[in-house]
């Protein structure tokens, strides 16, 4: 069941590069990463590709296959026809280091900008008690493997380098949603979501959801609910009035 | 093997977006080889068909009331003085001037339009298909700068919930229309094919309205502790289940609105006769 497939791989670094064609053996049951490993072993020993788990759990092997952001280890060769040319490039939103490896530190910088979990002051570690129904929503977001494919595909930064400063990206707007929905978190990140982390730049076109390998409904369950929370605060006079009255009453 | 060179400034071709300095110099704007342009094209065609049909029918000011009991949703509530041409069509009084540019349902249509225009699903649909921002995932958008929904007028999308509240009221009126349509002024209680058409339409309109993201938020989404609000949690669960099909309802209701209106128009104009099932 083996065949020889055609692969077009981007080789290069920050100074430039190009797509190079290779003919590589493909066996039944393999994923794109298997083929890249064979390519390294047989023809291109210096091909740079980042990977760790080969099980879709570490989030290291993010790249773009035939123009779509995907995990190399979770893209089966069986989705292609034998005579398809399979094009593999690095993620196109982050600076390239070499070949298929990009510098994803943008994401770590954004992660640090989100205030971390803040439990009530009078609660010591070990005293945390939560009802399952209250953490269900946050738990969906905890499935994230930090592959940053959503960050890579989001047009807000992919197509506009200048937005990187003012936009945290779907992964970290989802982090804000996770903490905002957390039953024990007492910090308020709603105004900052809009003002500092760029929630208003998201136009809910759902590409982040489309590419998430964990199938997290980022747009429906995190971004839109956050937009609604922002609307509560900033764009809904009735909610504002209700809050003001109930605050007066104590 | 052709090398995609960079200019003196180290920029790739074009120098912005995926060609920004530091990013892999790939050359092609997108390497997607599938028919990524098909969904935005289909969306454009679908929306234009609806807009065209709705515009023509809204301003036709004819054939909106059939068999003395079927009122098309495009003319509900019928509040123009012109509604007098069809006795029995106006249930909420007639007070708007009869003018070719004022729709007979001028009280509800603008809000229904705004409800759908600010809907999270339709936003996605027209941002992708009309604004090409982006036309498809990982396909570069043509705009030089992008601010999303942070500025006027798009920042107004945030008032969607108000149009949702109005849409609930209008859905109640549509439901009323569907129910009173079972009463014929002379024949009494009757059931015709048209009744089933109106009924299916109104049920689907409710599905669309109730599956709204703002509805989901209002029902319980804004809470942090579901465990303290069991009833709202239950409501949120139901709306969430509907919400996963919101896009489907958005399209089916465009279809059923056209079909319902067309049915009423065809019966009203005498092109077809409504089949009576009971009475
Ligand atoms: S839904 Fe928003 S965050 Fe997700 S890809 Fe689209 S614009 Fe980016
Ligand atoms: S949300 Fe999904 S796509 Fe984004 S980083 Fe996490 S796992 Fe990857
Ligand atoms: S190698 Fe770990 S996700 Fe692919
Ligand atoms: S109607 Fe679509 S989100 Fe409200």
């Amino acid at each position: 069941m083996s065949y020889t497939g055609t692969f077009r791989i981007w080789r290069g670094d920050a100074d430039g590069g190009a797509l190079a064609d290779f003919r590589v053996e493909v066996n039944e049951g393999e994923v794109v990463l298997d083929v890249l490993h064979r390519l390294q072993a047989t023809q291109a020993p210096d091909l740079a590709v980042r990977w760790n788990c080969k099980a879709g759990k570490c989030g290291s092997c993010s790249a773009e296959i035939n123009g779509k952001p995907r995990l190399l280890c979770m893209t089966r060769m069986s989705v292609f026809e034998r005579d398809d040319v399979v094009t593999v490039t690095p993620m196109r939103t982050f600076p390239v280091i070499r070949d298929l490896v990009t510098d994803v530190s943008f994401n770590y910088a954004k992660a640090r900008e989100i205030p971390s979990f803040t439990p009530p002051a009078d609660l010591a570690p070990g005293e945390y008690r939560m009802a399952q129904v209250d953490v269900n929503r946050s738990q969906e977001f905890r499935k994230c493997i930090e592959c940053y494919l959503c960050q890579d595909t989001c047009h807000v930064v992919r197509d506009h380098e200048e937005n990187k400063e003012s936009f945290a990206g779907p992964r970290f707007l989802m982090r804000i949603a996770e903490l905002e929905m957390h039953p024990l978190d007492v910090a308020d990140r709603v105004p900052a979501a809009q003002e500092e982390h760029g929630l208003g730049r998201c136009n809910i076109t759902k590409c982040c959801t489309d590419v998430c390998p964990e199938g997290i409904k980022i747009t429906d369950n995190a971004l839109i609910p956050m937009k609604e929370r922002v609307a509560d605060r900033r764009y809904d006079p009735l909610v504002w009035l209700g809050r003001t009255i109930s605050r007066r009453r104590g | 093997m052709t090398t995609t060179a960079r200019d003196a400034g180290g920029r790739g071709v074009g120098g912005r977006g995926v060609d920004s300095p530091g990013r892999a110099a790939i050359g092609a704007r997108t390497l997607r080889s599938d028919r990524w342009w098909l969904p935005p094209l289909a969306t454009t065609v679908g929306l234009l068909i609806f807009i065209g049909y709705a515009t023509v029918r809204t301003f036709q000011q004819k054939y909106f009331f059939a068999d003395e009991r079927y009122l098309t949703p495009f003319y509900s509530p019928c509040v123009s003085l012109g509604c007098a041409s069809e006795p029995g069509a106006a249930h909420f009084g007639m007070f708007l001037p009869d003018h070719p540019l004022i729709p007979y349902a001028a009280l509800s249509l603008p809000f229904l339009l705004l409800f759908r225009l600010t809907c999270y699903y339709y936003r996605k649909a027209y941002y992708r298909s009309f604004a090409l921002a982006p036309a498809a995932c990982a396909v570069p958008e043509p705009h030089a700068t992008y601010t999303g929904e942070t500025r006027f007028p798009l920042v107004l999308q945030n008032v969607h919930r108000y149009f949702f509240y109005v849409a609930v009221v209008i859905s109640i009126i549509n439901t009323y229309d569907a129910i009173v349509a079972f009463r014929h002024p002379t024949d009494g209680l009757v059931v015709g094919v048209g009744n089933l058409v109106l009924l299916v339409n109104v049920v689907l309109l409710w599905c669309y309205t109730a599956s709204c993201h703002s509805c989901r938020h209002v029902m319980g989404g804004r809470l942090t502790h579901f465990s303290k609000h069991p009833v709202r949690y239950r409501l949120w669960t139901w709306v969430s289940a509907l919400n996963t099909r919101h896009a489907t309802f958005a399209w089916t209701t465009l279809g059923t609105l056209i079909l319902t209106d067309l049915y009423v128009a065809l019966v009203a104009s005498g092109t077809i006769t409504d089949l009576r099932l009971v009475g």
Side-chain angles (χ1 to χ4, degrees), chain B residues 36-60:
Chain B
W36 55 262
W37 42 268
L38 194 59
L41 182 67
T43 306
T44 309
V45 171
L47 292 179
L48 287 180
I49 289 175
F50 183 81
I51 294 169
Y53 180 89
T55 312
V56 169
R57 279 293 286 151
T58 304
F59 294 101
Q60 193 177 26

Side-chain angles (χ1 to χ4, degrees), chain B residues 71-251:
Chain B
L71 178 64
T72 162
F74 284 74
Y75 284 73
S76 171
C78 209
V79 289
S80 161
L81 294 171
C83 301
S85 62
E86 293 288 353
H91 297 286
F92 301 90
M94 297 179 280
F95 42 85
L96 290 183
D98 185 8
H99 186 279
L101 289 181
I102 302 178
Y104 285 6
L107 228 46
S108 58
L109 295 187
F111 290 101
L112 288 179
L113 178 68
L114 287 167
F115 179 48
R116 295 211 179 217
L117 215 57
T118 57
C119 159
Y120 286 96
Y121 168 70
Y122 285 109
R123 272 144 77 180
K124 172 196 168 194
Y126 63 76
Y127 287 147
R128 280 201 187 197
S129 60
F130 287 81
L132 309 177
C137 303
V139 171
E141 50 171 68
H143 313 283
T145 56
Y146 171 88
T147 51
E149 300 183 333
T150 55
R151 301 215 184 135
F152 183 83
L154 292 183
V155 70
L156 294 180
Q157 306 278 28
N158 285 303
V159 301
H160 177 60
R161 57 184 60 182
Y162 281 101
F163 301 124
F164 162 72
Y165 298 139
V166 179
V168 169
V169 176
I170 298 171
S171 298
I172 294 172
I173 296 175
N174 290 149
T175 312
Y176 174 83
D177 291 337
I179 293 171
V180 296
F182 284 101
R183 243 195 88 80
H184 189 276
T186 45
D187 305 349
L189 189 73
V190 287
V191 181
V193 173
N195 288 110
L196 305 182
V197 172
L198 288 188
L199 212 57
V200 168
N201 178 56
V202 90
V203 167
L204 286 166
L205 283 181
W206 273 115
C207 288
Y208 171 70
T209 311
S211 61
C212 164
H213 285 276
S214 291
C215 176
R216 188 180 184 216
H217 177 74
V218 171
M219 288 303 163
R222 66 155 62 101
L223 300 171
T224 310
H225 297 93
F226 282 152
S227 53
K228 291 186 191 154
H229 303 86
V231 176
R232 289 183 69 184
Y233 174 58
R234 182 59 56 85
L235 288 171
W236 176 84
T237 315
W238 288 336
V239 172
S240 297
L242 279 177
N243 179 263
T244 58
R245 295 177 188 85
H246 191 57
T248 315
F249 291 132
W251 282 106

Side-chain angles (χ1 to χ4, degrees), chain A residues 10 17-18 92 96 134 137 155 157-161 183 200-201 203 205 207 220-221 227-229 232 236, chain B residues 2 4 22-23 25 28 120 128 133 137 141 143 146 149 161-162 214 216-217 221-223 225-227:
Chain A
W10 193 84
R92 299 184 70 176
V96 68
D134 292 341
R137 278 182 301 179
H155 70 116
V157 283
R158 185 183 177 93
D159 295 338
H160 304 280
E161 181 74 22
R201 291 184 187 271
N203 67 352
T205 36
C207 289
D220 283 351
N221 291 345
K227 281 190 176 248
E228 285 292 314
R229 283 168 191 239
D232 274 352
D236 193 332
Chain B
T2 50
T4 312
R23 302 196 197 181
Y120 286 96
R128 280 201 187 197
C137 303
E141 50 171 68
H143 313 283
Y146 171 88
E149 300 183 333
R161 57 184 60 182
Y162 281 101
S214 291
R216 188 180 184 216
H217 177 74
R222 66 155 62 101
L223 300 171
H225 297 93
F226 282 152
S227 53

Side-chain angles (χ1 to χ4, degrees), chain A residues 150-151 153-157 167 169-171 173 199 201-211 218-219 223 227, chain B residues 128 133-134 137 146:
Chain A
C150 55
Q151 305 280 94
T153 200
C154 179
H155 70 116
V156 177
V157 283
F167 186 66
R171 199 278 163 253
L173 292 169
L199 179 62
R201 291 184 187 271
C202 163
N203 67 352
I204 53 167
T205 36
K206 286 198 178 177
C207 289
C208 48
T209 306
D210 285 356
V211 300
I218 308 171
T219 319
L223 305 177
K227 281 190 176 248
Chain B
R128 280 201 187 197
C137 303
Y146 171 88

